């Protein structure tokens, strides 16, 4: 069941608006009711709510992103469960995907392309150092935002099909 604008989730997140829908879930903008902080909440689609593998993959996304803790990876701050489906609370980003930026203004000047690639590689190097392989790198999973006045600040998204090396998890 989709969340509604104004709905309070887990007694702490007020749904502000629908941001977008993907194959596995829906993303909403929400506000933490006590802190007043805006966040993004990704809810697993109800059609996958009884699929153990989909739920495992969904939670793996949260664990992988939280475990890495790098400035170029979208920060995950919480997880929870709606009546129907699990959800992930993430940093709310303003901007566009690299895919959208390519459609809008390709070809990029060399310096811009190198800067975006360099930040993306730094994020992936941090993930690999933490024993995590993303496995779904594509322009749609690279988000360009503005942070501290810096444009084209890269945030790598969607660790849903990442691989966490067993030797690094203690299992």
């Amino acid at each position: 069941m989709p969340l509604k604008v104004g709905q309070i989730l887990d007694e702490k997140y007020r749904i502000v608006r629908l941001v977008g829908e993907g194959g596995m879930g829906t993303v909403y903008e929400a506000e933490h009711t006590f802190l007043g902080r805006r966040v993004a909440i990704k809810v697993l689609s109800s059609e996958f709510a009884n699929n153990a593998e989909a739920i495992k993959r969904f939670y793996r996304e949260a664990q992988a992103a939280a475990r890495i803790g790098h400035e170029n990876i979208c920060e995950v701050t919480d997880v929870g469960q709606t009546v129907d489906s699990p959800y992930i609370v993430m940093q709310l980003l303003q901007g566009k995907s690299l895919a959208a930026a390519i459609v809008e203004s390709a070809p990029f000047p060399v310096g811009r392309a190198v800067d975006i690639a360099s930040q993306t590689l730094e994020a992936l190097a941090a993930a690999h150092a933490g024993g995590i392989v993303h496995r779904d790198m594509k322009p749609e999973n690279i988000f360009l935002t503005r942070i501290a006045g810096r444009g084209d600040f890269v945030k790598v998204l969607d660790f849903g099909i990442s691989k966490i090396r067993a030797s690094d998890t203690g299992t």
Side-chain angles (χ1 to χ4, degrees), residues 100-134:
I102 289 169
V103 167
E104 190 176 279
S105 58
F108 292 169
V110 172
R112 182 179 186 200
V114 168
D115 181 47
I116 292 168
S118 176
Q119 291 179 73
T120 303
L121 292 171
E122 287 178 26
L124 293 175
H128 293 180
I132 297 166
V133 179
H134 189 284

Side-chain angles (χ1 to χ4, degrees), residues 49-116:
N50 294 317
N51 180 322
E53 185 57 36
I55 293 170
K56 181 179 175 183
R57 175 180 166 186
F58 191 74
Y59 281 131
R60 182 178 1 173
E61 175 179 0
Q63 289 176 315
R67 179 175 168 179
I68 299 163
H70 187 273
E71 68 181 356
N72 292 114
I73 294 176
C74 187
E75 180 182 7
V76 172
T77 58
D78 199 3
V79 294
Q81 178 77 33
T82 70
V83 172
D84 300 320
S85 299
Y87 68 86
I88 299 170
V89 180
M90 302 173 287
Q91 177 181 21
L92 179 64
L93 300 172
Q94 303 295 326
K96 64 184 97 176
S97 71
L98 177 58
I102 289 169
V103 167
E104 190 176 279
S105 58
F108 292 169
V110 172
R112 182 179 186 200
V114 168
D115 181 47
I116 292 168

Side-chain angles (χ1 to χ4, degrees), residues 145-156:
T145 189
R146 176 172 289 280
I147 295 182
R150 179 178 182 204
D152 284 340
F153 194 98
V154 168
K155 290 289 188 171
V156 174

